[in-house]
Amino acid sequence: MISTRMSELQKPLEKTDVHLISFTVDPAKDTPKVLRRYAEKLHAEPDRWDFLTGGPSTIYNLSEKGFKLAASDGSEEIGRPVHSTRMILVDRHGEIRGYYNATEADAVTKLLADTSHLLREQPK
């Protein structure tokens, strides 16, 4: 669902330099080749939307410590991030500016409005 919602952002943001990023929470399964096929299925614009993978501990740390998202119960030696339904708006300085639940009907509208405000606040 989150990827479908994110795909809805591409057209309204096409004349901006806003970049979309998706991170896998299952790097063992989601190889770069698998992620490329997934991006093609979503009609992701390659210059706008990246699908990233990495080592489990790197993804876990980015998810939990960087984006402040829920993590597993910690029963594993290295925590595993759980799949989130949140989209996160990050500004040009790497600061989190908002969280949007992709399951909510108005999530894309809210995210686009906040993105518009942010673009005016932080021009290129």
Side-chain angles (χ1 to χ4, degrees):
M1 168 172 251
I2 191 168
S3 296
T4 300
R5 288 298 177 109
M6 286 182 65
S7 69
E8 295 172 21
L9 297 168
Q10 292 184 107
K11 184 73 173 164
L13 296 173
E14 69 184 353
K15 293 187 189 318
T16 72
D17 66 339
V18 172
H19 205 79
L20 305 174
I21 307 288
S22 293
F23 297 92
T24 180
V25 295
D26 189 0
K29 177 182 162 209
D30 293 335
T31 64
K33 183 178 180 179
V34 168
L35 292 174
R36 266 192 302 278
R37 282 195 308 255
Y38 186 61
E40 289 169 3
K41 180 180 164 187
L42 290 168
H43 305 289
E45 297 173 23
D47 293 333
R48 176 167 312 277
W49 192 357
D50 289 317
F51 293 77
L52 304 178
T53 187
S57 63
T58 301
I59 293 169
Y60 173 80
N61 285 329
L62 179 64
S63 181
E64 183 185 46
K65 294 176 177 64
F67 291 118
K68 313 290 188 243
L69 295 172
S72 66
D73 63 9
S75 61
E76 301 93 12
E77 182 178 325
I78 296 175
R80 291 190 59 217
V82 294
H83 200 277
S84 175
T85 59
R86 288 182 169 190
M87 297 180 288
I88 304 167
L89 178 62
V90 179
D91 69 17
R92 296 181 193 281
H93 306 291
E95 298 294 322
I96 294 172
R97 300 298 288 263
Y99 291 90
Y100 309 85
N101 190 334
T103 63
E104 295 177 1
D106 61 349
V108 169
T109 303
K110 287 180 180 178
L111 179 53
L112 287 171
D114 290 350
T115 300
S116 177
H117 292 295
L118 190 56
L119 288 170
R120 285 193 300 274
E121 176 186 313
Q122 294 183 345
K124 289 184 190 180

